[in-house]
Amino acid sequence: MLSDKSRPVIEATLPLVGSRIGAITPKFYARLFAAHPELLDGLFSRSNQRSGNQQQALAGSIAAFATHLVNNPGTLPETVLSRIAHRHASLGITEPQYQVVYEHLFAAIAEDLAEVITPEIAEAWTEVYWLMADALIKLEKGLYAAQANGKMWTPWKVAAKIPAGIGSMTFTLEPADDTPVTAALPGQYVSVKVQLPDGLRQVRQYSLSGDAGTSRSFTTKLDDGGEVSPVLHNTVEVGDILEISNPYGEITLKDGDGPVVLASAGIGCTPTASILRSLAESGSDRQVLVLHAESTLDSWALRGQMTDDVERLADADLQLWLEEPRAGANEGFMSLREVDLPANASLYLCGPLPFMKHIRNEAISAGIPATRIHYEVFGPDIWLAS
């Protein structure tokens, strides 16, 4: 917990640091990569640096963590920490790297706030950083220890590469050596590492969209704004070897017999399709409601898999929203106001951030408790507060 000495300092300076953290983080990354350019090779995403997504994620997570410590003394934001820890573990983040980040982050803070920062303020924010870092280090060690092997990257052979809707591709992979394989849970993801044409290695996470267990099947969208998907689509062929991580991600199907609502938009259907497949494979008798939004029917990447699995289940229904009018589908954007949600349902949500924010707000208004709404966010949950 935050010390009594630091808490009033953090409470007093949080508005200032929070307002400046968005300007501080670009300076931090400039310092970090100048000192350690190797971190851009196979760890940090170059496209996320260009777009500013990485800076926003770091800034938001630090500010949100400090806010939680001030508002909830004696506790930690476990949900957000767990999500960050899974993401870090999928990239192979190690304990010594937290010290490297600390050095360059606090040098950037000192530079940006040179006129106001005091030793007392620096000490308090150092405490916040290491409270967060130590919590993440502990979680990440547990995640690494739970894997069937002690390797960060293992080789997998591309067994199939199949178009999946307009602009999407499904890859099926088989183990390329005898490394023990960790069974994946429905809804989890893996990191995939590729070499770009300029020689730099880049990593991206993809949700496992097919059967869980020891298989690896993921579906990618070509125009996702990153540098990894174009290489997969345009360069990787059947028989090639890819390096992928163990499976991670805490948004998985929870045990129970209550109703399940799976809501997705666009390529966000990949984790919900995995959960749906697991329900179909187990012959579940749970009530399942599948909600999906897409621009056009032909753009729905996992249309065949998801419709087949709905038909296999004893008590499942599918509702579709399309921007392009089509018989049998709702027109426009998804809204839960048009849906008869089952009582006591658990909602699993994935898609663009504006979509998830909108559907989550509607779900809460409809009476689904926040504790039963599960979603994957690539970054902090600061968007939920606005």
Side-chain angles (χ1 to χ4, degrees):
M1 67 179 66
L2 191 62
S3 68
D4 292 339
K5 178 182 178 182
S6 293
R7 188 170 184 272
V9 177
I10 297 301
E11 190 169 13
T13 57
L14 184 56
L16 172 62
V17 175
S19 69
R20 293 301 305 160
I21 197 72
I24 291 169
T25 48
K27 297 176 182 178
F28 153 67
Y29 280 111
R31 288 176 173 272
L32 178 68
F33 295 137
H36 299 277
E38 72 279 3
L39 294 177
L40 274 173
D41 185 23
L43 184 58
F44 283 91
S45 168
R46 185 167 61 179
S47 61
N48 283 346
Q49 290 294 318
R50 290 170 178 165
S51 68
N53 290 340
Q54 187 66 51
Q55 290 92 328
Q56 293 172 14
L58 176 64
S61 62
I62 293 173
F65 185 78
T67 300
H68 181 95
L69 293 180
V70 169
N71 295 335
N72 304 274
T75 68
L76 295 175
E78 295 180 358
T79 299
V80 174
L81 288 174
S82 177
R83 186 168 293 125
I84 296 172
H86 276 269
R87 192 72 56 195
H88 282 183
S90 76
L91 293 169
I93 298 296
T94 61
E95 183 174 353
Q97 288 170 333
Y98 282 93
Q99 179 63 38
V100 173
V101 167
Y102 168 76
E103 292 172 3
H104 296 284
L105 177 60
F106 276 74
I109 291 174
E111 175 190 349
D112 190 83
L113 301 177
E115 295 182 359
V116 297
I117 198 166
T118 65
E120 182 183 33
I121 293 173
E123 181 182 356
W125 279 97
T126 294
E127 182 179 344
V128 168
Y129 175 84
W130 283 111
L131 280 172
M132 184 174 180
D134 289 342
L136 289 171
I137 289 167
K138 181 179 178 180
L139 289 171
E140 289 155 20
K141 284 182 177 180
L143 292 174
Y144 291 138
Q147 299 295 338
N149 61 75
K151 298 182 179 180
M152 177 56 216
W153 302 102
T154 55
W156 290 68
K157 179 183 292 187
V158 178
K161 177 184 178 182
I162 302 173
I166 297 175
S168 297
M169 194 78 67
T170 296
F171 294 82
T172 301
L173 280 65
E174 300 174 346
D177 65 9
D178 58 359
T179 301
V181 175
T182 299
L185 299 174
Q188 289 193 308
Y189 55 82
V190 295
S191 289
V192 180
K193 187 192 316 185
V194 301
Q195 188 171 39
L196 303 184
D198 62 5
L200 192 72
R201 294 174 299 172
Q202 288 285 270
V203 177
R204 187 177 178 89
Q205 289 85 24
Y206 294 104
S207 295
L208 296 170
S209 56
D211 297 331
T214 57
S215 65
R216 298 289 186 263
S217 179
F218 59 87
T219 301
T220 75
K221 191 173 182 63
L222 179 59
D223 59 347
D224 61 8
E227 295 186 278
V228 176
S229 291
V231 172
L232 292 173
H233 281 240
N234 300 325
T235 305
V236 172
E237 301 294 346
V238 172
D240 288 349
I241 302 296
L242 291 176
E243 289 185 280
I244 69 172
S245 72
N246 288 309
Y248 292 98
E250 84 284 13
I251 307 304
T252 61
L253 180 63
K254 312 301 180 186
D255 292 335
D257 54 10
V260 175
V261 179
L262 304 173
S264 58
I267 200 64
C269 67
T270 53
T272 58
S274 175
I275 292 173
L276 179 61
R277 170 55 56 89
S278 71
L279 290 165
E281 288 291 324
S282 67
S284 175
D285 58 3
R286 297 174 72 170
Q287 183 181 1
V288 180
L289 179 58
V290 180
L291 312 174
H292 183 64
E294 195 63 73
S295 56
T296 68
L297 190 63
D298 292 338
S299 298
W300 186 2
L302 296 173
R303 173 186 172 191
Q305 175 181 321
M306 294 179 72
T307 55
D308 287 349
D309 286 340
V310 167
E311 292 177 359
R312 294 166 63 190
L313 287 163
D315 189 8
D317 186 34
L318 168 66
Q319 293 188 39
L320 180 65
W321 283 258
L322 297 174
E323 296 176 37
E324 179 182 279
R326 191 180 182 100
N330 300 295
E331 183 177 348
F333 300 105
M334 184 188 298
S335 173
L336 298 186
R337 295 188 182 94
E338 308 167 23
V339 179
D340 184 15
L341 295 170
N344 302 315
S346 293
L347 171 63
Y348 294 83
L349 183 59
C350 191
L353 288 181
F355 163 82
M356 290 200 292
K357 179 179 179 179
H358 173 72
I359 296 301
R360 182 181 184 274
N361 287 338
E362 287 196 341
I364 290 175
S365 296
I368 297 181
T371 54
R372 291 213 303 269
I373 301 176
H374 313 286
Y375 49 89
E376 183 63 69
V377 180
F378 287 75
D381 290 350
I382 52 173
W383 58 275
L384 294 177
S386 59

